[in-house]
Amino acid sequence: MEVNDIIKEENKVYCKPELLDDVHMHYCPGCSHGVIHKLLSEVISEMGITEKTVGISPVGCAVFAYNYVNVDWVEAAHGRAPAVATAISRLWPENVVFTYQGDGDMAAIGTAETIHAANRGENIVMVFVNNAIYGMTGGQMAPTTLIGQKTATTPYGRRIDLNGYPLAITKLLAELDGTCYVTRQAVHTPAAVRKTKAALKKAFQNAMAKKGTSVVEVVSTCSSGWKMTPADANEWMAQHMFEKYPLGDLKDNA
């Protein structure tokens, strides 16, 4: 390394990713979405695919993602992001297409679209933010809500006999032949953030190489929906969420 390069490295300071727009985010304090947006911005920019990346954002807390990450976006009806992503990827195969979905969207109203797009092996990336609750609409139970977890619609905790079991949809997607890469990560610590960034990069590389569907689940918090401080929410997530949704790669055929 040249002396000038060493000096540049030493003087490097942390700054906002160039693709992250300079606007106020609507997310609650401590929300994981902001960190994930930052990582998406960094990965897309560093890979040099800004001009050919298309994001699909459906209904949910991520509905305004187009206002934060400066790439092309298409809004989809609730749960239909994988169907819209399929159309764009097939019509413009030179583009890199990803969906950005919450658990209520991907694992409830959009279960059919999610499973069938992945089973077909569409060359798309699914970014799945799992905070085990409907965060945007008032904190109702989601398919991923844990047994015993209190929500607006399960005030005494989720019951198996009444509400059924939590749906580990990422685990289901890993069983499908069309998925090439399925991983579960988090963003609650610096180490976890680095792993999530690496996972997103691998997923986008798979899409560029036409290897099939990649799924990156990010186990997240919802301070408002959980009625906790951001710090307490992170601690609760580590103690309870990771037991049902353990971090790591579920499948890597790429």
Side-chain angles (χ1 to χ4, degrees):
M1 182 179 289
E2 298 293 335
V3 174
N4 288 339
D5 293 331
I6 296 175
I7 293 174
K8 288 180 181 179
E9 285 295 319
E10 291 179 346
N11 292 333
K12 185 182 293 184
V13 296
Y14 179 81
C15 59
K16 179 178 67 66
E18 62 179 21
L19 290 186
L20 201 60
D21 287 332
D22 191 17
V23 296
H24 290 292
M25 286 188 171
H26 74 288
Y27 301 118
C28 303
C31 180
S32 305
H33 278 295
V35 180
I36 302 169
H37 284 2
K38 179 184 80 77
L39 296 180
L40 283 168
S41 300
E42 290 178 348
V43 168
I44 294 169
S45 179
E46 292 170 7
M47 292 181 66
I49 56 174
T50 302
E51 298 303 320
K52 60 180 181 180
T53 297
V54 181
I56 314 298
S57 177
V59 176
C61 286
V63 70
F64 297 121
Y66 65 84
N67 199 36
Y68 307 132
V69 183
N70 192 12
V71 296
D72 288 331
W73 287 89
V74 175
E75 293 289 306
H78 203 359
R80 277 45 177 181
V84 176
T86 295
I88 294 175
S89 179
R90 291 191 178 194
L91 287 170
W92 293 281
E94 70 279 5
N95 286 338
V96 180
V97 185
F98 73 97
T99 68
Y100 189 84
Q101 303 173 258
D103 45 294
D105 183 88
M106 187 173 184
I109 194 169
T111 306
E113 285 79 2
T114 298
I115 289 177
H116 287 292
N119 193 54
R120 292 192 302 268
E122 302 293 342
N123 289 304
I124 61 176
V125 176
M126 296 181 182
V127 181
F128 170 38
V129 184
N130 176 15
N131 56 22
I133 204 167
Y134 279 87
M136 186 184 196
T137 56
Q140 299 91 344
M141 186 195 78
T144 53
T145 297
L146 302 178
I147 297 299
Q149 185 176 352
K150 295 180 179 180
T151 71
T153 48
T154 57
Y156 302 104
R158 179 173 186 160
R159 291 167 39 190
I160 296 174
D161 62 327
L162 181 62
N163 311 115
Y165 293 91
L167 178 60
I169 191 168
T170 307
K171 186 177 180 180
L172 292 176
L173 296 176
E175 297 296 321
L176 303 178
D177 292 336
T179 54
C180 63
Y181 178 54
V182 181
T183 188
R184 185 185 290 124
Q185 303 295 334
V187 291
H188 64 307
T189 66
V193 168
R194 289 193 293 269
K195 290 181 180 179
T196 300
K197 181 176 180 179
L200 289 170
K201 183 176 182 180
K202 178 182 287 189
F204 278 92
Q205 288 172 335
N206 291 340
M208 293 176 67
K210 311 301 181 187
K211 293 184 177 181
T213 304
S214 293
V215 183
V216 180
E217 175 182 351
V218 185
V219 183
S220 304
T221 62
C222 182
S223 303
S224 298
W226 294 358
K227 311 301 181 186
M228 300 178 185
T229 66
D232 288 343
N234 272 336
E235 184 176 345
W236 192 91
M237 176 181 66
Q239 291 179 353
H240 301 282
M241 291 278 285
F242 294 163
E243 182 178 356
K244 175 62 180 178
Y245 306 110
L247 306 186
D249 291 348
L250 284 73
K251 180 180 185 179
D252 188 359
N253 291 346

